[in-house]
Amino acid sequence: MSASVLRYYYEVLNLSGRAGSSAGGSCLYISGVPGTGKTATCLEVVRRMQADVKAGSAQAFRFVEINGLRLPSPHHAYSRLYEALTGHHVAPARASELLEAHFSRARNSKVSTHGTSLQDNDSCINDEHCQILPHK
């Protein structure tokens, strides 16, 4: 790894660790031009965090990877995430409701951390058939 990629790796690792220990939840948004190593860096950070869990030095977490280019519409991200967490496939609108309930319960109990990588979500911004999803 080059010095700049290595520095980026440790910055993402540090921020991911803080996000995972945040009681209220948090979000880490990474953007940049294609080919700069964003996905590779994030996946390496996840591998490192999974190794820490195996070694007993980190809290268990569930990681879900979603590629926006493979979604029929942005709304389907809800279905993909819900299916990854539960094993059940439901329509996007229903998945959104169920995820809201799931994460609302999670805030009030001790459950494992969830990490989600949503890649290439900007591919829908300029498409007339897609829309930006507001957070409720």
Side-chain angles (χ1 to χ4, degrees), residues 16 19-22 49 59-63 85 103 111-115:
S16 298
S21 64
S22 172
M49 293 169 69
Q59 178 186 1
F61 67 96
R62 177 180 279 166
F63 176 70
L85 296 177
F103 288 113
V111 297
S112 64
T113 301
H114 297 85

Side-chain angles (χ1 to χ4, degrees), residues 96-123:
S96 175
E97 295 168 1
L98 293 169
L99 286 167
E100 181 71 29
H102 172 82
F103 288 113
S104 292
R105 282 191 310 273
R107 271 186 234 124
N108 300 320
S109 66
K110 274 210 168 266
V111 297
S112 64
T113 301
H114 297 85
T116 304
S117 170
L118 179 56
Q119 301 167 26
D120 297 319
N121 57 329
D122 58 337
S123 64

Side-chain angles (χ1 to χ4, degrees), residues 29 73-75 78 118 120-136:
Y29 179 80
S73 79
H75 296 92
Y78 294 125
L118 179 56
D120 297 319
N121 57 329
D122 58 337
S123 64
C124 291
I125 291 174
N126 294 324
D127 188 334
E128 65 187 53
H129 300 291
C130 294
Q131 61 185 8
I132 305 285
L133 300 175
H135 177 67
K136 292 183 180 180

